């Protein structure tokens, strides 16, 4: 049973990676658009590279979105305007005219014959004026339909009469009447005329909607067996539309019936191959990351987020697929890991997305080039200007690439989609979101970036300020070690910022009992004189444990805490061990060794060497070039003989380079000069 549990614990990390691997495959395939993939790649303006293509099925030629939009625009511009005819208004107007005339007749002496003549003339004029109707406002459209008695009748452009025109028409008819009729009817007719034809917006819009709904989304049919395009023939505008129609028909037909399972299997295999390459790369070239499930999860989560964002954009509006800031991926991975891993993951992600985006060759080309530019230009992101410069260069690459592809496809620079420039600029602005995203990832995954390291290296931070007050000697020692370690890291290409911050905090545990460490003793009184060697050794060793406790209390990142744990490795507190041997000859060194672990990276190994050399250099009384050289060689040799660097990925050549830097720096610290002969 015990062996079984041991095997479970031993392989649980690998089992987690398998689960993450298969879950990621399932999610990516689920994100993919539900459709097959057309087996031919083609681009407008480029030759057809395959054999002669004959129509495998009957299909319709689909109109482009631009064609449909043009038809809709034409219908809206030439739509018919409907006007409603109010039949009650003419009769009401006649009644008003009659009442007005009766009032006039009552106050004046008109004979019955005159009254009858005037009234008859007035009614006749009203009939003439309202023969076609009086419009409230003249129509702006050339096509006007008058709805009268539930029948729509077209009107010519010369048949439109508004109030002003109606009054003018009445005046023209009156001009041919007798003086009595003309003078009597002039004002009453002008006062009673009203509009009886009104614009019917609801009916007009309804009719327009009916016309729009009749627009066909296809134009023509291609019968099975017809030659679509011959090998070597350039894909022109007409062929391009036919090929796109076949592609759409083909992909929609594929994702039906039993084809569904084969397509699903194909997608699964291809995605599994890509993610499998990623795991193999990590296992072979980044074993430290492969062994850390947290970091592997972080990489897979970023890939999934980019695939999800891109597929959602493709489903909603594929024209804006470049809005997705894919270059955030190499930017973040380079910031947390290294450039090679960042570019490798970026290329694999772009290959996955090549299955779902339109114009996959163009997309893959532009995104890989943009990713390379990101890797080459993005450095020291804690400097804000660097990120803006890098994003500007990425945006420029997108724009130049678009110009090139447009020139190839169209053969000219006409019909450039200027909106894509806005898309590329928006992509750049979204890429700037990498800064807050890095901060979020640090909190979620416990990682550390250069931005956080820069903040931690501030000697005015609360913890370092407390150390400078509580243990000033230790603080000064940490500063010196930080300078030595940073110079050494730069020499061998290690993470100089990380090792500097680790050096600044490596001895914070001494704040617990600062006077028990010689650099903080300001008098000749040494508290160790009154303690047995074992207890003194325990106090010295405990500064590592106390440091880890203080670091965790102050929320220092785990990568910084690693320096606290490893800066003494499993070395011996030699001074007190020797004192104990004087009291007890057969003393075990168990109580006099640091708990470890030993350094497991270049950075932690550099700190161990720099810390030991700087601390021991305080005992040099009259240092010379020879003494310093021998002194550094002796300390580092002792650490190597104690097997302190077995787990660190540092070579003998790099150790020699580190020693060279330490010797040079110590020489500068002690202001040694060349001794001239007398």
């Amino acid at each position: 049973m015990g062996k079984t549990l041991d095997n479970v614990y031993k392989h649980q990390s690998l089992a987690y990676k398998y689960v993450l691997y298969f879950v990621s495959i399932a999610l990516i395939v689920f994100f993919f658009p539900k459709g097959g993939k057309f087996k031919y790649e083609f681009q407008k303006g480029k030759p057809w590279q395959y054999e002669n293509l004959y129509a495998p099925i009957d299909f319709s030629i689909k109109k482009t979105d631009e064609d449909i939009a043009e038809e809709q625009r034409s219908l809206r511009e030439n739509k018919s305007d409907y006007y409603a005819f109010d039949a009650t208004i003419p009769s009401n107007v006649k009644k008003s005219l009659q009442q007005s005339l009766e009032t006039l007749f009552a106050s004046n002496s008109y004979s019955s014959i005159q009254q009858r003549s005037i009234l008859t003339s007035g009614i006749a004029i009203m009939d003439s004026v309202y023969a076609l109707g009086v419009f409230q406002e003249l129509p702006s459209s050339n096509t006007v339909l008058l709805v009268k008695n539930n029948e729509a009748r077209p009107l010519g452009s010369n048949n439109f009469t508004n109030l002003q025109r109606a009054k003018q028409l009445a005046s023209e008819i009156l001009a041919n009447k007798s003086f009595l009729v003309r003078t009597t009817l002039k004002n009453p007719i002008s006062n009673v005329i009203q509009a009886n034809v009104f614009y019917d917006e609801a009916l007009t819009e309804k009719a327009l909607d009916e016309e729009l709904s009749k627009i066909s989304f296809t134009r023509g049919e291609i019968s099975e067996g017809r030659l679509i395009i011959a090998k070597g023939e350039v894909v022109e505008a007409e062929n391009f539309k036919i090929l796109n129609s076949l592609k759409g028909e083909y992909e929609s037909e594929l994702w039906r019936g039993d084809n569904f399972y084969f397509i699903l299997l194909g997608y699964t295999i291809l995605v599994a191959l890509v993610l499998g390459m990623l795991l193999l790369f990590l296992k072979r070239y980044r074993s430290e990351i492969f062994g850390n499930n947290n970091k592997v999860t972080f990489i897979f989560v970023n890939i999934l987020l980019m695939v999800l964002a891109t597929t959602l954009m493709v489903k909603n509006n594929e024209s804006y697929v470049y809005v997705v800031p894919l270059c955030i991926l190499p930017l973040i991975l380079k910031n947390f890991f290294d450039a090679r891993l960042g570019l490798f993951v970026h290329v694999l992600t772009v290959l996955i997305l090549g299955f779902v985006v339109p114009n996959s060759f163009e997309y893959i080309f532009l995104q890989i080039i943009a990713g390379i530019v990101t890797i080459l230009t993005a450095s020291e992101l804690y400097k804000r200007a660097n990120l803006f410069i890098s994003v500007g260069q990425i945006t420029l690459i997108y724009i130049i690439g678009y110009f090139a592809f447009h020139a190839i496809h169209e053969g000219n620079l006409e019909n450039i989609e200027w909106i894509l420039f806005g898309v590329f600029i928006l992509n750049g602005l979204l890429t700037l979101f990498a800064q807050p995203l890095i901060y979020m990832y640090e909190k979620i995954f416990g990682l550390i970036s250069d931005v956080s390291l820069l903040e931690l290296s501030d000697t005015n931070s609360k913890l370092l300020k407390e150390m400078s007050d509580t243990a000033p000697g230790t603080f000064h020692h940490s500063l010196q070690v930080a300078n030595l370690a940073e110079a050494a890291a730069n020499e061998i290409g290690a993470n100089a910022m990380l090792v500097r911050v680790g050096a600044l905090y490596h001895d914070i545990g001494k704040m617990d009992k600062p006077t028990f460490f010689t650099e903080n003793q300001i008098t000749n009184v040494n508290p160790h004189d009154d303690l047995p060697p074992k207890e003194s050794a325990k106090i010295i060793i405990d500064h590592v444990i106390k440091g880890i406790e203080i670091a965790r209390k102050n929320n220092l990142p785990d990568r910084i805490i690693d320096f606290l744990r490893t800066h003494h490795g499993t070395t011996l507190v030699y001074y007190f061990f020797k004192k104990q041997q004087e009291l007890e000859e057969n003393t075990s060194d168990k109580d006099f060794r640091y708990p470890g672990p030993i350094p497991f990276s270049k950075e932690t190994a550099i700190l161990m060497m720099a810390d030991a050399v700087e601390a021991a250099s305080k005992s040099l009384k009259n240092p010379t070039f020879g003494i310093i050289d021998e002194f550094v060689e002796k300390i580092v040799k002792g650490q190597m003989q104690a097997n302190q660097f077995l787990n660190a990925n540092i070579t003998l050549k790099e150790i020699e380079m580190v020693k060279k830097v330490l010797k040079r720096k110590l020489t500068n610290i002690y202001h040694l000069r060349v001794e001239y002969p007398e």
Side-chain angles (χ1 to χ4, degrees):
M1 182 67 180
K3 290 183 178 180
T4 303
L5 288 175
D6 287 342
N7 287 331
V8 170
Y9 290 133
K10 183 178 180 181
H11 295 98
Q12 66 177 351
S13 177
L14 190 59
Y16 173 81
K17 291 181 181 65
Y18 279 125
V19 172
L20 180 65
Y21 174 68
F22 288 114
V23 169
S24 298
I25 294 171
L27 287 174
I28 291 174
V29 174
F30 176 76
F31 292 155
F32 279 1
K34 300 301 181 286
K37 189 71 175 176
F38 194 49
K39 59 183 176 180
Y40 301 111
E41 282 286 341
F42 58 91
Q43 289 182 325
K44 188 178 178 182
K46 295 187 69 176
W48 181 257
Q49 299 176 353
Y50 310 97
E51 296 298 325
N52 295 354
L53 178 63
Y54 297 90
I57 54 174
D58 293 334
F59 65 94
S60 302
I61 304 174
K62 294 181 180 179
K63 295 178 182 177
T64 64
D65 293 339
E66 291 77 10
D67 293 338
I68 295 172
E70 178 60 28
E71 287 188 34
Q72 291 174 340
R73 185 189 62 79
S74 177
L75 282 176
R76 287 190 175 93
E77 288 180 354
N78 300 297
K79 67 182 176 66
S80 298
D81 289 337
Y82 284 80
Y83 283 79
F85 182 90
D86 192 339
T88 63
I89 288 179
S91 59
N92 292 335
V93 167
K94 291 176 184 178
K95 288 180 181 179
S96 297
L97 178 63
Q98 186 175 358
Q99 291 172 357
S100 177
L101 290 174
E102 287 176 355
T103 303
L104 186 64
F105 294 156
S107 61
N108 294 280
S109 57
Y110 288 95
S111 65
S112 58
I113 297 175
Q114 289 175 329
Q115 291 180 9
R116 192 179 308 111
S117 174
I118 293 170
L119 182 60
T120 303
S121 297
I123 298 299
I125 292 172
M126 289 296 102
D127 289 337
S128 298
V129 169
Y130 284 101
L132 294 176
V134 177
F135 286 77
Q136 188 177 31
E137 57 185 26
L138 289 177
S140 58
S141 174
N142 292 327
T143 306
V144 176
L145 295 173
L146 182 64
V147 180
K148 192 174 183 180
N149 299 325
N150 294 324
E151 180 183 353
R153 184 162 56 90
L155 294 180
S157 58
N158 295 325
N159 295 326
F160 303 151
T161 303
N162 61 358
L163 279 172
Q164 183 180 358
R165 174 63 183 147
K167 292 177 181 179
Q168 184 180 353
L169 178 61
S171 297
E172 291 174 356
I173 297 174
L174 282 172
N176 297 320
K177 301 294 182 178
S178 65
F179 176 79
L180 179 63
V181 172
R182 186 167 63 248
T183 55
T184 304
L185 289 177
K186 182 177 180 181
N187 289 331
I189 287 178
S190 178
N191 292 334
V192 299
I193 291 178
Q194 298 177 24
N196 73 322
V197 178
F198 306 94
Y199 178 64
D200 193 336
E201 184 178 1
L203 185 58
T204 301
E205 290 300 320
K206 181 180 179 182
L208 177 61
D209 290 340
E210 289 179 359
E211 291 298 320
L212 291 174
S213 66
K214 294 177 183 177
I215 293 177
S216 173
F217 291 91
T218 62
R219 54 176 189 83
E221 297 282 334
I222 299 295
S223 57
E224 182 179 353
R226 173 182 163 181
L227 176 65
I228 296 176
I229 191 168
K231 183 178 181 180
E233 184 180 348
V234 176
V235 180
E236 300 288 354
E238 186 63 27
N239 285 338
F240 185 68
K241 292 177 182 178
I242 296 174
L243 287 170
N244 270 327
S245 300
L246 176 60
K247 178 181 178 182
E249 188 73 20
Y250 182 83
E251 291 179 349
S252 63
E253 288 293 330
L254 270 180
W255 200 260
R256 296 176 185 173
D258 295 337
N259 292 333
F260 169 84
Y261 300 103
F262 287 104
I263 293 172
L264 199 66
L265 177 63
Y267 275 145
T268 302
I269 292 173
L270 292 175
V271 174
L273 284 174
V274 173
L275 296 184
M277 294 303 102
L278 174 58
L279 287 177
L280 287 174
F281 175 84
L282 293 176
K283 184 175 182 181
R284 182 163 184 177
Y285 298 106
R286 298 293 183 273
S287 55
E288 178 189 349
I289 297 175
F290 183 80
N292 188 321
N293 285 340
N294 184 52
K295 293 180 179 178
V296 175
T297 304
F298 171 73
I299 294 171
F300 273 75
V301 165
N302 274 278
I303 294 174
L304 289 173
L305 287 176
M306 288 301 162
V307 173
L308 172 61
T310 305
T311 51
L312 285 176
M313 186 59 69
V314 169
K315 289 177 182 178
N316 288 283
N317 193 335
E318 63 182 25
S319 300
Y320 297 101
V321 68
Y322 286 102
V323 167
V324 180
L326 206 63
C327 288
I328 280 184
L329 185 60
L331 203 62
I332 288 176
L333 293 180
K334 181 183 179 183
N335 185 76
F336 285 116
F337 304 114
D338 60 85
R340 187 179 178 188
L341 176 61
L343 182 59
F344 189 81
V345 173
H346 176 73
V347 170
L348 292 182
T349 306
V350 171
L351 290 177
I352 291 174
L353 294 175
F355 300 142
V356 298
V357 296
N359 297 325
S360 56
F361 171 78
E362 177 180 328
Y363 180 86
I364 291 172
F365 182 89
L366 281 179
Q367 293 293 9
I368 289 179
I369 292 296
I372 293 172
V373 171
T374 303
I375 292 297
L376 294 177
T377 60
S379 61
E380 298 179 329
L381 293 183
Y382 55 86
K383 297 179 181 178
R384 289 172 294 180
N386 287 1
L387 180 60
F388 280 95
I389 292 171
S390 179
V391 167
Q393 292 172 330
I394 294 167
T395 306
L396 183 62
I397 287 297
Y398 278 127
I399 292 173
I400 293 173
Y402 168 70
F403 264 117
F405 277 108
H406 182 83
I408 293 172
H409 296 164
E410 303 293 336
N412 55 58
L413 295 181
E414 298 176 1
N415 301 320
I416 291 178
E417 297 182 36
W418 296 103
I419 193 172
L420 282 178
F421 291 97
V423 169
F424 296 140
I425 292 172
L426 182 57
N427 179 294
L429 293 176
L430 290 175
T431 305
L432 293 175
F433 190 67
Q435 282 283 23
L437 200 60
I438 287 170
Y439 177 79
M440 292 166 56
Y441 280 144
E442 286 180 333
K443 300 304 178 185
I444 296 172
F445 291 94
L447 302 172
I448 187 168
S449 67
D450 287 347
V451 178
S452 294
L453 290 176
L454 184 65
E455 293 174 355
L456 290 170
S457 67
D458 184 7
T459 54
N460 288 315
S461 64
K462 181 182 176 182
L463 188 55
L464 291 180
K465 197 75 174 174
E466 183 182 349
M467 183 168 70
S468 68
D469 294 335
T470 307
T474 301
F475 178 72
H476 180 72
H477 159 72
S478 298
L479 287 176
Q480 294 283 42
V481 173
N483 292 332
L484 292 174
E486 183 180 20
N490 282 323
E491 187 71 20
I492 66 171
N495 191 330
M497 180 69 77
L498 177 63
V499 75
R500 178 176 181 82
V501 175
L504 288 173
Y505 290 91
H506 78 284
D507 271 344
I508 56 174
K510 293 181 179 180
M511 289 193 298
D512 185 56
K513 295 179 180 179
T515 56
F516 283 84
F517 299 90
T518 55
E519 67 266 24
N520 297 313
Q521 294 170 3
I522 57 176
T523 66
N524 291 328
V525 178
N526 189 341
H528 288 290
D529 294 340
D530 300 325
L531 296 176
K534 276 190 178 181
E535 190 171 341
S536 292
K538 185 177 184 305
I539 292 172
I540 298 298
I541 292 171
D542 280 351
H543 89 272
V544 173
I545 307 300
K546 293 291 183 182
I548 295 172
E549 292 174 358
I550 293 172
R552 294 199 184 283
K553 184 179 178 182
N554 286 271
N555 297 317
L556 289 185
D558 288 339
R559 289 186 72 184
I560 302 304
I561 296 176
D562 288 340
F563 287 92
L564 278 68
R565 295 165 54 223
T566 61
H567 74 278
H568 284 296
T570 55
T571 56
L572 191 66
V573 184
Y574 190 74
Y575 176 78
F576 292 109
F577 176 66
K578 281 297 181 182
K579 285 187 69 174
Q580 184 64 28
Q581 276 190 328
E582 294 174 2
L583 301 174
E584 187 181 345
E585 187 173 346
N586 296 324
T587 299
S588 171
D589 65 358
K590 180 181 178 181
D591 296 327
F592 295 87
R593 284 195 179 277
Y594 285 95
I598 60 176
F600 48 79
S601 66
K602 289 181 182 180
E603 289 78 15
T604 51
I606 290 170
L607 178 61
M608 172 178 273
M609 289 184 271
D611 180 43
V613 166
E614 202 286 328
S617 69
K618 297 295 191 294
S619 63
L620 297 177
K621 294 184 178 180
N622 295 306
T624 62
F625 291 106
I627 291 174
I628 289 177
D629 185 88
E630 182 181 351
F631 163 78
V632 173
E633 290 287 345
K634 179 181 177 182
I635 290 177
V636 176
K637 182 179 179 181
Q639 292 172 336
M640 293 176 66
Q641 289 177 342
N643 298 322
Q644 296 300 302
F645 303 139
L646 287 181
N647 292 342
N649 59 337
I650 189 168
T651 64
L652 290 174
K653 180 181 179 181
E654 288 170 337
I655 291 175
E656 289 299 320
M657 294 168 69
V658 170
K659 289 193 294 185
K660 183 179 178 181
V661 172
L662 295 177
K663 293 172 186 176
R664 185 176 70 247
K665 285 291 181 180
L666 285 177
T667 300
N668 294 335
I669 290 172
Y670 287 102
H671 305 290
L672 297 182
R673 298 187 180 184
V674 177
E675 297 180 4
Y676 295 98
E678 296 181 0

